C-alpha cells in the first residue's frame, strides 16, 4: 500500500492529535484510542477478553448505586492528547448527557477497568494506569488472564503520591467495598 492510498487522517499533525479529533476524523475505525497524541487501533478481541468484560459489566450493573452507571468501551478524555477507551468505566449518572455522547471526562469517572490483551499488555499495565492516576480517577482494576480465568488486581489512588496502590488480588471471587460493595463469582466466566 502506498502512502498516497492511505487516508489523510492516518498522518498526524506535527503536534499530534488532540482528544476532540476522534469525533472529527471520518471513517476512523471503531474503538480507536488516543494515547500521547497518537492514534491507537484495537486488534480483534479474544474470547477471554469478551467474556471477562461481559462478566464484569453484568455484575457491576447490578451492584452500582443509583447515582452511578456502568459503561463499556466508551472513551474518557483525560487531557488534551489523552483519550483512552477503558474496557469498563463506572461513571456518575449525571455525566450521561445524550444518546449521541461519545466520551466522558476524567472527573465523571469513579472506576476504570482494563482487561489485558496480548497486543495491549504494555499500554494496559504501564501507560494507562499512569494516565488514569494523573487524571485523578480514584479506582483502577487490571484484569489478567490466568489459565482462562480472570485475576483482578484492584488499585486505589493514593492521595499523597497521586499514584495507584494495590489493595488486593482476586482470583475466584472479587469482593470489595470501594468504590461500592461488589461481590462477583469470577468462576462464572466458565459458563459464559
Amino acid at each position: 500500500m502506498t502512502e498516497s492510498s492511505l487516508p489523510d487522517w492516518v498522518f498526524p499533525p506535527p503536534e499530534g492529535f488532540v482528544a476532540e479529533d476522534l469525533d472529527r476524523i471520518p471513517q476512523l475505525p471503531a474503538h480507536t484510542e488516543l494515547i500521547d497524541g497518537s492514534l491507537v487501533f484495537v486488534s480483534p478481541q479474544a474470547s477471554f477478553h469478551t467474556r471477562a468484560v461481559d462478566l464484569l459489566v453484568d455484575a457491576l450493573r447490578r451492584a452500582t448505586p443509583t447515582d452511578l452507571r456502568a459503561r463499556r468501551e466508551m472513551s474518557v478524555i483525560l487531557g488534551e492528547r489523552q483519550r483512552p477507551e477503558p474496557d469498563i468505566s463506572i461513571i456518575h449518572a449525571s455525566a450521561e448527557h445524550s444518546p449521541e455522547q461519545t466520551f466522558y471526562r476524567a472527573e465523571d469517572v469513579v472506576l476504570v477497568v482494563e482487561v489485558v490483551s496480548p497486543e495491549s499488555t504494555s499500554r494496559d499495565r504501564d501507560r494507562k494506569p499512569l494516565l488514569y492516576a494523573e487524571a485523578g480517577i480514584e479506582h483502577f482494576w487490571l484484569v489478567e488472564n490466568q489459565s482462562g480465568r480472570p485475576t483482578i488486581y484492584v488499585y486505589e489512588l493514593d492521595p499523597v503520591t497521586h499514584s495507584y496502590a494495590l489493595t488486593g488480588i482476586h482470583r475466584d471471587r472479587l469482593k470489595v467495598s470501594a468504590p461500592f460493595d461488589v461481590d462477583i463469582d469470577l468462576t462464572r466466566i466458565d459458563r459464559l
Side-chain angles (χ1 to χ4, degrees):
M1 182 177 274
T2 65
E3 186 175 300
S4 61
S5 66
L6 295 174
D8 289 340
W9 58 260
V10 170
F11 306 100
E15 67 282 357
F17 291 105
V18 295
E20 291 77 18
D21 288 336
L22 267 64
D23 292 322
R24 295 191 284 254
I25 298 173
Q27 301 172 348
L28 192 65
H31 308 294
T32 299
E33 297 181 287
L34 183 69
I35 306 288
D36 300 325
S38 296
L39 299 176
V40 177
F41 305 108
V42 178
S43 298
Q45 297 301 329
S47 173
F48 171 82
H49 187 279
T50 300
R51 290 180 299 122
V53 170
D54 286 347
L55 173 69
L56 294 173
V57 166
D58 179 57
L60 287 168
R61 284 192 173 141
R62 284 186 275 113
T64 50
T66 57
D67 62 331
L68 299 175
R69 302 287 185 270
R71 294 293 180 257
R72 66 183 296 155
E73 301 166 341
M74 283 286 290
S75 64
V76 176
I77 295 179
L78 304 176
E80 184 180 32
R81 290 179 174 28
Q82 311 295 349
R83 188 171 164 182
E85 184 179 290
D87 292 309
I88 304 168
S89 300
I90 301 296
I91 61 162
H92 294 285
S94 60
E96 196 69 51
H97 301 293
S98 80
E100 291 79 31
Q101 190 169 346
T102 60
F103 63 86
Y104 301 108
R105 298 203 176 275
E107 58 269 19
D108 301 329
V109 181
V110 175
L111 163 70
V112 289
V113 180
E114 291 289 355
V115 178
V116 176
S117 295
E119 61 87 23
S120 66
T121 301
S122 179
R123 282 191 310 276
D124 292 340
R125 288 181 183 163
D126 302 322
R127 187 66 183 134
K128 285 183 173 184
L130 288 173
L131 294 172
Y132 296 142
E134 287 172 2
I137 296 174
E138 236 181 295
H139 301 274
F140 172 68
W141 297 354
L142 186 70
V143 182
E144 297 274 357
N145 178 353
Q146 294 194 342
S147 302
R149 288 258 179 95
T151 295
I152 302 182
Y153 296 81
V154 174
Y155 298 88
E156 193 166 326
L157 191 63
D158 181 324
V160 175
T161 64
H162 303 287
S163 61
Y164 287 120
L166 182 66
T167 61
I169 301 172
H170 305 265
R171 289 183 174 79
D172 292 330
R173 183 178 184 196
L174 170 67
K175 186 172 183 175
V176 295
S177 59
F180 47 87
D181 288 334
V182 177
D183 188 354
I184 305 171
D185 176 1
L186 299 176
T187 66
R188 283 189 51 237
I189 196 168
D190 296 337
R191 297 188 299 275
L192 297 180

